[in-house]
Amino acid sequence: MLDSVLEKNRSYLQNTDSEVYDALIGEEKRQKNGIELIPSENFAFPEVLALLGSAFTNKYSEGYPGRRYYGGQQFTDLIEELARERAKKIFRAEHANVQPLSGSPMNQAIYHAYLKPGDTVLGMELSHGGHLTHGAPVSHMGKIYNFIRYKTVIKKGGIIDWDEVEDLAYKHKPKILLCGHSSYPKDLNYKKFKEIADKIGALTMADVSHIGGWIATNHLNNPLDADFDFMTTTTHKSMRGPRGGLILSKKEHSKKIDSSIFPGLQGGPHMNQVAATAVTMKKIATDEFKNYAFDVLNNAKKLAKELLNEGFDLVTGGTENHLIVINTVNSVGLDGKIAEQMLDDFGITTNKQVVPDDPNPPLRPSGIRIGTPAVTTRGMGEKDMEKIAKWISVILKGKENFRSLSDLNNEIENFSKEFNLPGI
Ligand code: DSN
């Protein structure tokens, strides 16, 4: 019966709008027939897909459980409570807000709650691994607040320059000391950040959007164990949840954070997303997910090792998490835009990426960023990482002339088709 509901919905779509329907079919084929290596992408749990297209989509629920501005909340209150309690338990947090629509509002909500325009935040430099919402000049946040940036020491394998962090902290007295990253292939020493923040009385915030799933399974350090004030994470990357965000914090911040999300920044929460977050929190607490998380990290290490064997230059020399940044200019004399396009032509999806202190602009940077969450979700293992590294090498080094291009395309497509695509 459920199948027939889904089928009916799809057939309505097909009859109403063949252009959008065809695009959906095309996207499903692209995902099935290719190798997804963008480290922030994953395949959502089937349960998540079921909830995103469910009756919860129809509901307005401004406010919080027990304190809403609209009636009819018996089931929305239930799922939001479940999502909050499960998130608190798995991340060892005193408070959870599960309403952020995504990563950007989740981080903004903290800045707006604790900073006045012009106040200072000390965060990681974008090209060294930070994120747009950590105050890049092009973001609104970079215009409202005064972001100062620390870097890594490239010569020492990309470790954080603690002397610089401490010097900048004393000099600029930030209200928030921010860590977390979107292209930094290492785990973080949160205790060290906390020590520095305590010396100057700053709040501590970690944006762990890329690694939430590995923190939930205790494979990587948890900033809340180091007594951080705030931890933010998106739910759709490592955790295979809906597109959305979580703010986890100490209890003393609960009122300010909740009112900063609503009514401060957002209107009605997306209750289909909140319901999907609830089930995601249940799924990531299982042994099955813990094993998956281990496999992702293992696959990343294997892929990095194979790429190093092929002579590629990797930022920080390898990876401690699921992401790998390849300096394609140093490795094969191609900028990241061209490298991304060449791999795309063979069904291998990556994203162009700035490297530390990149002399090139963001739309034509010096590298690409890849990662293993999506391929691991599809069931690929270490042997498959060997094949993927070989294909990347063959394509980027322009050695595909040893056989016809279409042969290589077919080989990659046939390989990908063998693997299950959950929920689709
Ligand atoms: N777009 C996400 C990423 O790829 O890292 C985060 O903004």
Side-chain angles (χ1 to χ4, degrees), residues 66-78:
R67 289 182 293 125
R68 306 275 193 194
Y69 288 81
Y70 294 77
Q73 306 290 348
Q74 48 280 49
F75 301 107
T76 44
D77 275 6
L78 180 88

Side-chain angles (χ1 to χ4, degrees), residues 40 131 182 210 237 369:
S40 48
H131 187 253
S182 62
H210 269 271
K237 298 186 176 83
R369 186 185 65 155

Side-chain angles (χ1 to χ4, degrees), residues 145-272:
Y145 306 114
N146 176 36
F147 281 84
I148 306 290
R149 293 173 192 84
Y150 55 85
K151 294 185 176 181
T152 57
V153 195
I154 303 168
K155 279 190 192 141
K156 289 189 186 165
I159 55 170
I160 302 227
D161 188 339
W162 295 112
D163 293 336
E164 189 196 24
V165 177
E166 191 152 353
D167 287 350
L168 290 172
Y170 276 117
K171 186 168 168 203
H172 297 280
K173 300 277 183 300
K175 286 212 168 143
I176 297 179
L177 179 49
L178 169 62
C179 62
H181 40 73
S182 62
S183 60
Y184 184 56
K186 284 185 170 294
D187 199 2
L188 292 181
N189 182 346
Y190 300 105
K191 281 190 188 145
K192 192 89 185 157
F193 281 110
K194 176 71 179 156
E195 275 167 28
I196 295 173
D198 282 350
K199 286 181 190 166
I200 53 157
L203 293 164
T204 37
M205 170 176 169
D207 175 355
V208 301
S209 289
H210 269 271
I211 53 175
W214 329 141
I215 290 174
T217 47
N218 297 314
H219 291 302
L220 294 184
N221 296 328
N222 183 338
L224 298 177
D225 291 344
D227 205 28
F228 263 50
D229 291 282
F230 316 104
M231 177 166 93
T232 59
T233 177
T234 48
T235 43
H236 48 277
K237 298 186 176 83
S238 59
M239 292 188 265
R240 300 185 57 196
R243 298 195 83 95
L246 290 178
I247 301 175
L248 302 139
S249 69
K250 291 184 178 177
K251 197 168 179 57
E252 67 198 69
H253 300 302
S254 57
K255 278 210 172 91
K256 264 192 153 172
I257 291 296
D258 285 356
S259 60
S260 186
I261 284 287
F262 176 83
L265 188 64
Q266 297 184 172
H270 296 175
M271 295 316 289
N272 56 336

